[in-house]
Structure formats: C-alpha cells, structure tokens
Amino acid sequence: MDKRSLCRVVIKLREAGAGPRALVQEILALHPGTTLHRLFTSVDTETISRWVNKARQSAPGYRAPDFNAYYAVSCLPEVRTEHLVQRLTTLDAVELAYLELGFLPAPGTSHPSLQALNRQGYLGPAPEGLDILHAWKWQGGRGGSIRFIDIEQGWQQHHEALTLRTLPITGINSDSFASHGAAVLGVLGLQPNNTGCVGIAPDAAGYVVSQWRPDGVFNTADAIMAAIGHLQPGDVLLLEAQTFYTTTVTKTWPVEIHEACFQAIRLADAMGIIVIEPAGNGSTEAPEGNDLDLFMVEDRPVLDPLSEQYLDSGAILVGAASHTVPHMRLPCSNYGRRVNCYAWGEQVATAGNYPHSSGMAINTYTGTFGGTSAAAAIIAGAAILLQSITEANLHFRLNPRQMRSLLASDHFGTPSARGSFVDKIGVMPNLQKIIDEALRITPSLQRVGETF
C-alpha cells in the first residue's frame, strides 16, 4: 500500500482546467513531497457526467458539483499539511481544501460473550429483534432480486459459508481487515450450515469494493464512485467505514463529513441507490460516542437536521444498541438527530474471527461482532429484504427517501431504552409492521412458506 495514502489534502477547484491546476502546482512546488492527481480515478470523466445527467432526471432537485474539479494532493510524512491547506485556500482558483488524516479501522467492536454462537435474536420479533423471520415468509423475502455492495478495506477470501463476489473496480484486499469484512458479509449473506447461523439476506447478490483502490491509494470517495456504476436504482450500498476530522483527531465520524464523500453519496442517492452508513464508534481512545449535532465544519453544524447549515446526503445513518430489551444505546455509538435508526451493536453471530485474524482457516465464526459496523450491516439486510419483497409483491422498488422513512418511522419501529430524544439513535425497524401495515402486503399475496 502506498505511503501517499497516510495523509493527503483534498481540494476542489472552482472550475476544472489546466489553468487552475497550474496555480495549484505553483504552491505545491514550494512543498517537496507532494503530488497532485485526480481524486476520482476509477471512473472516467465522461461516465461521471452521464451519471450526473441521469441523477438530475431521476431527482429534479439534485444539484451536482463538478466532480472533475476534485483533486487530491498526496503528501509524504514530512510535509506540513496544515500549512499546505492554508496556502491552498488563499488561491482564488480553490473553492475548498481539507486534510484527510489517513485510514483507520472500520466501526466494528467485539465484546466478551457467554451466548451460544447460534443466538441471533435480532432475527426474531420485536422488541428483541427486527422480525427478519416474518420477512422470510414472503415472496422475495430472502433478498433474491437485490444487489448490494459492501465497501470495506478487506475480506476473507475463501470462507466456507460466504459467497465472495468481486468486480473489475473492486480494488485491493487488505489482509489486516479480512476478519471485519467476513463479519459484515456474514451478517448479510451467511449461508445456512451446521452452526445454526444464517445471514439476513442469503439470496441477495453481494459484492465487495475496497477503500484501497487499484492504484494502492486509500480513497473512500473513489470507492463510492466506483460502486455506483454497478448498482441499479433500489439496490443497496453499505459503507463500512468511519473517519477522523482535523480538529478532533481521536474522534471518529461518518465518512460523509468529508466533502468528496458527501457528494459521492449524494450522487448515489439521487440515482436511486439506497446508502447505509454507520454513525461511527466514537473515539479511538475511549468507548465514548460523539453527538453528531455538535459536529462542526468551519462553525457549521452540518449533521444537525435542525440547523440551517444542515447537509443531507440522503444516506440512512445507523447507531448501535444493546442486544437486551430495552435496547440501550451502546457507549461507543455516535448519536444525534441525524441518526435514523439502530440495531444490535453487540453479540452478533457471524463469519470470521473478528477482531482476531482467521489466518488460513476457512471455517471460523464469532458470536461477538458489534459496534455500528454490525448495526449498519443488520439495517442493510433489512433494507434488502424490504426492497426485494416490495418488488416481488408490489412490482416496484422503494426509492431512498421512502426506504429511509420506513426504517426510521417511530410507528414502525422499536424505541431505544430512553427514547429518541435522549438516546438520539432513532428506532429499530420492525419488519412485520412495515410489511403488513406500511406496505400493506397481505396473505392474499404469495407467501413462500416457513423460514429456514
């Protein structure tokens, strides 16, 4: 993996072109160890422009940035990046410049567990679970018509109970993160076997895309952009990632706090793709979640829906709670009015040996996967099932706003222990209520029989 990935500056020019780039290059010449290159490298400019036009047609209010105006400045460790950002922002040709502090582990946790491996209470009825079991009874209830992409840093190559699919744009599989990828893919697609565990959407077609791009650079925004081209409206994009911000270097946040990631997510949303995003796991130093309402970008509370400066990416933001009833917000989970819903963030049974390595073994399992990574994977599974059931029985697909409304509805969900106004992680969706009451799918429509 490239040393350039450890620290870089992302810039957006006021207009793309050789002239503005030349002005930036003059600044960079004063900072040896820097290199300028396009931010979005996995998709050519003509294709991105075509997607933007499609997004404008499907979402008339969508206003796209010029994605061709985004660049990244790769920096060697000796470069004074804060000074470089200050210099770049003085240029009239630069609309914005910000520092990305490098990669960090995805928002997963592991807790000691005395539970049996096959305990998957989140599959059961509310208030303990999301009633995945009810969804499985319906035509389309195992996700067969839906494609999803899981954006990760790595995954286990040959696990006995996982079907791993890659794409030409998948990128580099980092062995250091293989156990996390296996855990997420297991929550979604673990195939029935003698462990007694099963994934939420075992019939869905799942793919992986790496944040480590084919050129060796860690680039979440490019991974999102690359994934867009392989999903149809109504498919699901799961972002198993979190990030730092320059003024809060030990605190973790949703990846959409970075402008380029936000705009890539917004494009996916405008094209009808359902984006699921973890709220983040708080801090790298202590199990303490962060209030997203208080997060500021240049004094703007961009994650507070009550603020005039609020920016809505369209993603479904997910918090994490205890497996026990009533569901307590986990100490590590970020929270805020922007968080739409929650799911189990502990004691989740799945594939792999997270947080430890499985080595060469292909038959490892865990009962202690957790954090907002696990919760987001569970919510992604719920979205896949709802979409597949809707398509199979009602012959249309839910758009991102409809899906978010259903998964975040107080009426169709289980409140957390102290409620949304205190815990600020939304509700845990109840698929039985959503299917029977919101979608009004009735027994007169085809059912597929009993569950696994």
Side-chain angles (χ1 to χ4, degrees):
M1 293 166 188
D2 202 317
K3 286 178 66 179
R4 295 177 297 160
S5 308
L6 299 180
C7 191
R8 67 177 181 175
V9 175
V10 175
I11 63 174
K12 182 176 183 293
L13 302 177
R14 295 193 185 279
E15 60 181 40
R21 287 200 308 273
L23 294 174
V24 172
Q25 292 282 19
E26 290 180 9
I27 297 293
L28 297 185
L30 304 175
H31 296 266
T34 60
T35 306
L36 183 70
H37 51 89
R38 287 185 61 228
L39 180 66
F40 298 105
T41 58
S42 294
V43 184
D44 61 70
T45 58
E46 292 78 11
T47 299
I48 294 177
S49 296
R50 187 169 66 251
W51 292 348
V52 167
N53 289 333
K54 288 178 62 177
R56 287 170 175 158
Q57 293 172 7
S58 60
Y62 172 63
R63 297 179 62 184
D66 183 355
F67 287 102
N68 299 323
Y70 284 93
Y71 285 83
V73 181
S74 299
C75 304
L76 293 180
E78 58 269 21
V79 175
R80 296 175 57 193
T81 50
E82 294 85 356
H83 179 62
L84 176 59
V85 169
Q86 292 175 357
R87 292 290 300 274
L88 288 169
T89 53
T90 64
L91 290 178
D92 290 338
V94 174
E95 181 177 326
L96 64 89
Y98 61 87
L99 180 63
E100 286 190 350
L101 296 177
F103 71 93
L104 74 164
T109 62
S110 180
H111 302 283
S113 173
L114 298 177
Q115 305 296 332
L117 178 60
N118 63 358
R119 186 180 189 280
Q120 292 181 284
Y122 53 89
L123 300 178
E128 183 181 23
L130 292 77
D131 213 343
I132 304 298
L133 300 177
H134 181 78
W136 282 346
K137 297 176 182 178
W138 295 97
Q139 182 180 11
R142 290 168 187 159
S145 67
I146 306 303
R147 173 180 283 200
F148 73 87
I149 289 178
D150 172 29
I151 291 185
E152 293 271 357
Q153 294 189 54
W155 48 87
Q156 203 168 331
Q157 291 277 21
H158 304 294
H159 195 281
E160 64 178 4
L162 297 177
T163 301
L164 182 67
R165 301 177 180 90
T166 58
L167 297 161
I169 48 81
T170 284
I172 298 171
N173 178 9
S174 172
D175 291 339
S176 300
F177 300 95
S179 58
H180 187 277
V184 170
L185 292 172
V187 170
L188 287 165
L190 190 73
Q191 299 300 303
N193 61 17
N194 58 11
T195 65
C197 297
V198 64
I200 293 173
D203 291 353
Y207 295 78
V208 289
V209 169
S210 177
Q211 292 165 268
W212 294 97
R213 307 309 301 134
D215 59 4
V217 174
F218 183 82
N219 189 340
T220 303
D222 185 66
I224 297 169
M225 186 67 75
I228 288 174
H230 296 271
L231 295 171
Q232 297 297 318
D235 285 339
V236 173
L237 177 59
L238 173 59
L239 306 179
E240 285 289 346
Q242 59 186 359
T243 193
F244 292 123
Y245 190 65
T246 51
T247 59
T248 55
V249 295
T250 65
K251 296 182 177 181
T252 62
W253 307 95
V255 294
E256 69 175 57
I257 67 166
H258 291 310
E259 163 74 9
C261 288
F262 174 89
Q263 293 295 354
I265 294 169
R266 184 71 190 91
L267 175 60
D269 172 76
M271 292 180 68
I273 296 166
I274 312 297
V275 182
I276 312 292
E277 182 181 9
N281 278 2
S283 171
T284 58
E285 294 185 342
E288 180 180 352
N290 304 309
D291 188 343
L292 303 186
D293 297 341
L294 304 179
F295 176 78
M296 299 285 179
V297 174
E298 298 179 349
D299 298 323
R300 293 178 293 121
V302 295
L303 294 176
D304 182 2
L306 299 184
S307 167
E308 293 181 354
Q309 289 82 34
Y310 169 59
L311 298 175
D312 185 5
S313 68
I316 298 169
L317 219 62
V318 182
S322 67
H323 73 290
T324 54
V325 179
H327 299 288
M328 298 288 296
R329 186 186 78 217
L330 289 184
C332 70
S333 176
N334 285 351
Y335 55 94
R337 287 182 285 265
R338 174 64 179 86
V339 181
N340 303 115
C341 52
Y342 75 87
W344 285 29
E346 62 178 2
Q347 313 235 353
V348 173
T350 185
N353 194 29
Y354 185 84
H356 308 292
S357 172
S358 296
M360 299 296 292
I362 63 171
N363 60 347
T364 53
Y365 300 87
T366 179
T368 62
F369 187 47
T372 54
S373 277
I378 291 171
I379 294 298
I384 291 167
L385 298 194
L386 285 178
Q387 193 71 282
S388 185
I389 290 169
T390 301
E391 183 171 50
N393 295 279
L394 303 180
H395 312 297
F396 67 89
R397 285 188 172 193
L398 300 165
N399 66 38
R401 291 299 184 273
Q402 292 169 327
M403 182 67 76
R404 188 165 73 174
S405 177
L406 290 173
L407 295 178
S409 169
D410 290 340
H411 180 71
F412 301 129
T414 301
S416 59
R418 297 178 297 174
S420 295
F421 289 106
V422 177
D423 286 332
K424 294 200 288 189
I425 54 172
V427 298
M428 184 169 68
N430 180 338
L431 297 197
Q432 183 269 322
K433 280 191 172 184
I434 294 174
I435 293 167
D436 296 356
E437 297 180 30
L439 298 179
R440 298 182 182 178
I441 297 177
T442 68
S444 64
L445 296 171
Q446 182 179 357
R447 295 176 66 139
V448 296
E450 297 306 312
T451 60
F452 289 110

